Amino acid sequence: MQNTVLVVEDDEIYRELVERHLGDAYMLVFTDSLRGAAEMLQSHIPDCILLDHRLPDGNGIDFLPQPVNAEVPVILCTAHGSEALAVKAIKAGAEDYLVKRGLGRRELRRAVRCAIKQSQLRTQLRLKVSESESLSRLLRTALSNNEALRGIIPICAYCRKVRDRTGCWHSIEAYVSQHTGARFTHGLCPSCLDIELEKFAQEDQARLDDENGERP
């Protein structure tokens, strides 16, 4: 299923450019005003937003809190870029900042792809933090209430499996579940998240290398 990109843009030429560069890879939804974007966010949450800096009914940066609070990654686009504006956009919550003039297909596709991926990884991290907190509470309860988990528990320093009293080895999840009834879900810790982001960056660079023959 294709990711959805909401394009908030009143310039017909740039809308056509976005359609040409992204139309084969994403489901594109267009609106030419901040009001239209706000209405769309109420009925459907896109995977990414390409947001023009200046629109007929307001400033894109002033609009940023709405999608950011909805955890939607936003790429701010402007006709004339400046370092000050880029810093302001990022501080306001934009995932990325692009200058329209001379914007090519590879650059735009990479920005959208990275914005969506980073948003997904942040969601996984939040879930992991929540799950870790729940797991910590379960383990503390188990250690205080269950005799089977008191004292020294033999655990492999490499694979993290636990040895039971019969000498058999089990995953720590299976061992704790067997003795406490607790259930586990999985996510990414900050260190693993960094590793996955690095892998993603390397894969993304490899894709860019494969696209070197494409023209904007």
Side-chain angles (χ1 to χ4, degrees):
M1 183 176 179
Q2 287 183 319
N3 292 119
T4 300
V5 177
L6 173 58
V7 184
V8 189
E9 174 62 58
D10 64 327
D11 186 326
E12 187 64 31
I13 294 177
Y14 185 68
R15 288 160 68 103
E16 292 177 359
L17 180 144
V18 171
E19 176 69 42
R20 188 167 62 251
H21 289 346
L22 301 180
D24 64 327
Y26 300 95
M27 179 71 68
L28 301 179
V29 180
F30 292 90
T31 182
D32 60 1
S33 68
L34 296 178
R35 180 179 179 180
E39 291 174 351
M40 289 184 180
L41 284 175
Q42 292 177 0
S43 60
H44 177 74
I45 300 298
D47 298 290
C48 183
I49 296 177
L50 285 176
L51 177 63
D52 190 17
H53 176 218
R54 296 189 182 279
L55 289 146
D57 58 346
N59 187 301
I61 290 182
D62 295 335
F63 177 75
L64 270 173
Q66 292 190 49
V68 169
N69 290 339
E71 299 181 355
V72 180
V74 179
I75 300 173
L76 189 74
C77 305
T78 180
H80 305 285
S82 70
E83 183 176 347
L85 181 57
V87 170
K88 186 176 181 181
I90 299 302
K91 285 185 176 180
E95 196 74 41
D96 204 348
Y97 173 87
L98 295 176
V99 178
K100 298 178 188 178
R101 184 169 52 190
L103 183 63
R105 180 174 186 267
R106 289 192 296 273
E107 182 183 1
L108 181 58
R109 290 170 75 97
R110 184 179 188 280
V112 172
R113 188 165 59 239
C114 289
I116 293 175
K117 182 65 174 181
Q118 289 171 0
S119 177
Q120 292 171 342
L121 289 173
R122 282 197 301 272
T123 297
Q124 293 177 11
L125 178 58
R126 284 193 294 271
L127 290 174
K128 176 59 180 176
V129 170
S130 177
E131 291 165 0
S132 296
E133 292 173 348
S134 297
L135 175 59
S136 295
R137 289 193 294 270
L138 286 172
L139 289 175
R140 286 195 297 268
T141 300
L143 288 170
S144 62
N145 297 329
N146 197 306
E147 183 64 30
L149 293 182
R150 290 181 180 173
I152 297 176
I153 299 176
I155 184 169
C156 176
Y158 182 75
C159 70
R160 315 305 292 175
K161 287 184 178 179
V162 176
R163 189 183 69 221
D164 64 18
R165 293 179 179 179
T166 67
C168 295
W169 292 87
H170 309 272
S171 70
I172 189 169
E173 293 94 338
Y175 186 84
V176 173
S177 295
Q178 178 183 354
H179 290 85
T180 69
R183 299 175 63 187
F184 290 79
T185 57
H186 298 81
L188 293 173
C189 70
S191 296
C192 292
L193 176 62
D194 290 340
I195 293 173
E196 290 303 314
L197 283 173
E198 178 62 26
K199 288 181 180 178
F200 171 70
Q202 293 174 357
E203 293 170 357
D204 191 64
Q205 184 60 51
R207 280 193 294 267
L208 287 176
D209 292 342
D210 291 339
E211 295 176 356
N212 279 338
E214 299 178 1
R215 298 181 64 86

